[in-house]
């Protein structure tokens, strides 16, 4: 690693708590890395993660949270903070901003995040709107399969679909393997009509894209769209202005050409619905995984939390502040104060 990269890892000193500040939550100890040797090497190469520096890096981010956001109700344990460091390639400043955004999003969109538990979304899960395929792609990415045609708008609002997607992302990111490899999205737009597409307007698009790009610690490696009707051009026109160039370049539109899809996702990992040889698409297995995690989600998402303004202030988020460019130390303190609710 270059000297410049190493300088980003200089651990800020821990701030002592004043009498008026709340004590930090207890920090569990005993983190044990579950990555294989191959994934450790991949994390070192792609994410600048050095195993010998890992706990020091986590402590540095923990110190920054305590100093700049002492009242932020967040987990500070090693495994949780590592998600944010990996998602931002161990740049402390960007990892901190991502963590603040993560909580800002949750507090600013109560229709999605209040009472977020699998049992509250049984109808969405049973509809087949989304599932995770049992086999990962050749890069080790889990494949999130989304089928909007399975949603009947008269049954429940579109925010219920977004809640189900977020639940799935939260479950996937618990795995260190996913934190390193990232995920792939397979979106099947077969049968999506204009009336259904109209529910996904600019407001919803901006919120969802904001969460996926700047408010959640996950690496989206590719988005494969199949069976898209002509109306999808209109849908993508709504989405594209909110996409960063890097993410926009990871969208692949295949239409009904499954051979094109198979050049990216081999047939042996796909269900027969997409020209694969891995059997029929099964939605029950992933639903069972989520429902078995009910207690974890209740503990994380069903507890009262203070309003966003009381923790993060009311300053707006300027355009471009969530960019990929790392912030230097001289501007970190100023920029971090500008992060607020979406």
């Amino acid at each position: 690693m270059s000297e410049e990269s190493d300088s980003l890892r200089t651990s800020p000193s821990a701030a002592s708590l004043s009498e008026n500040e709340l004590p930090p939550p207890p920090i569990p100890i005993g983190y044990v890395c579950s990555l294989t040797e191959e994934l450790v090497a991949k994390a070192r190469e792609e994410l600048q993660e050095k195993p010998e520096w890992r706990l020091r890096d986590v402590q540095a981010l923990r110190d920054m949270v305590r100093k700049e956001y002492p009242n932020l109700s967040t987990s500070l344990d090693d495994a949780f903070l590592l998600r944010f460091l990996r998602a931002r390639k161990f740049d402390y400043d960007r990892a901190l901003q991502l963590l603040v955004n993560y909580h800002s999003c949750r507090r600013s969109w109560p229709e999605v995040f209040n009472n977020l538990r699998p049992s509250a979304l049984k109808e969405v899960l049973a509809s087949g709107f989304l599932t995770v395929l049992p086999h990962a792609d050749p890069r080790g990415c889990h494949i999130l399969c989304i089928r909007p045609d399975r949603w009947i708008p008269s049954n429940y609002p579109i925010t219920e679909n977004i809640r189900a997607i977020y639940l799935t992302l939260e479950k996937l990111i618990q795995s260190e393997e996913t934190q390193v490899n990232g995920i792939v999205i397979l979106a099947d737009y077969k049968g999506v009509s204009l009336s259904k597409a109209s529910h996904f307007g600019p407001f919803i698009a901006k919120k969802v894209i904001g969460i996926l790009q700047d408010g959640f610690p996950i690496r989206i490696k590719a988005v494969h769209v199949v069976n898209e009707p002509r109306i999808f051009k209109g849908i993508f026109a709504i989405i594209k202005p909110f996409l960063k160039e890097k993410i926009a370049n990871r969208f692949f539109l295949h239409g009904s050409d499954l051979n094109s899809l198979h050049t990216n996702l081999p047939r042996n990992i796909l269900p027969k619905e997409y020209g694969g040889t891995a059997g029929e698409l099964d939605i029950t297995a992933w639903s069972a995984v989520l429902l078995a995690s009910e207690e974890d989600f209740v503990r994380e998402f069903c507890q009262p939390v203070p309003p966003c303004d009381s923790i993060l202030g009311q300053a707006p988020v300027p355009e471009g502040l969530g960019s990929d460019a790392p912030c230097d130390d001289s501007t970190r303190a100023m920029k971090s104060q500008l992060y607020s609710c979406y």
Side-chain angles (χ1 to χ4, degrees), residues 16 34 38-39 60 71 80 88 126 167 171 174 205 208 237 240 246 260 269-270 281-282 293 297 307:
S16 59
S34 63
E38 180 181 0
L39 285 177
N71 296 324
F80 182 77
R88 290 298 180 263
L167 270 183
K171 186 61 182 178
Q174 291 177 2
V208 173
K240 194 170 183 179
K246 180 176 70 174
S260 172
I269 67 171
L270 291 172
L281 183 65
D282 176 23
S293 305
F297 283 106

Side-chain angles (χ1 to χ4, degrees), residues 129-140:
F129 170 77
L130 91 170
T131 191
V132 173
L133 302 187
H135 305 291
D137 79 353
R139 296 177 296 179

Side-chain angles (χ1 to χ4, degrees), residues 34 47 79-84 86-87 98 102 132 142 165-183 215-220 286 290 297 301:
S34 63
L47 307 182
F80 182 77
L81 293 181
L82 267 174
R83 301 178 189 179
F84 297 87
R86 285 169 173 154
L98 179 61
Y102 173 82
V132 173
H142 284 293
I165 292 172
Y166 197 91
L167 270 183
T168 291
L169 295 179
E170 282 282 357
K171 186 61 182 178
L172 286 173
I173 204 60
Q174 291 177 2
S175 164
E176 289 195 283
E177 179 181 345
T178 300
Q179 293 168 29
V180 174
N181 289 331
I183 67 167
F216 196 84
I218 201 161
R219 308 173 70 205
I220 299 176
W286 182 250
L290 290 179
F297 283 106
F301 289 94

Side-chain angles (χ1 to χ4, degrees), residues 31 33 47 49 54-55 57-58 61 77-88 90 176 179 217:
Y31 165 78
C33 180
L47 307 182
E49 177 175 349
R54 188 184 289 128
L55 295 182
D57 293 335
V58 169
L61 180 57
D77 67 70
D78 295 346
F80 182 77
L81 293 181
L82 267 174
R83 301 178 189 179
F84 297 87
L85 287 165
R86 285 169 173 154
R88 290 298 180 263
F90 282 76
E176 289 195 283
Q179 293 168 29

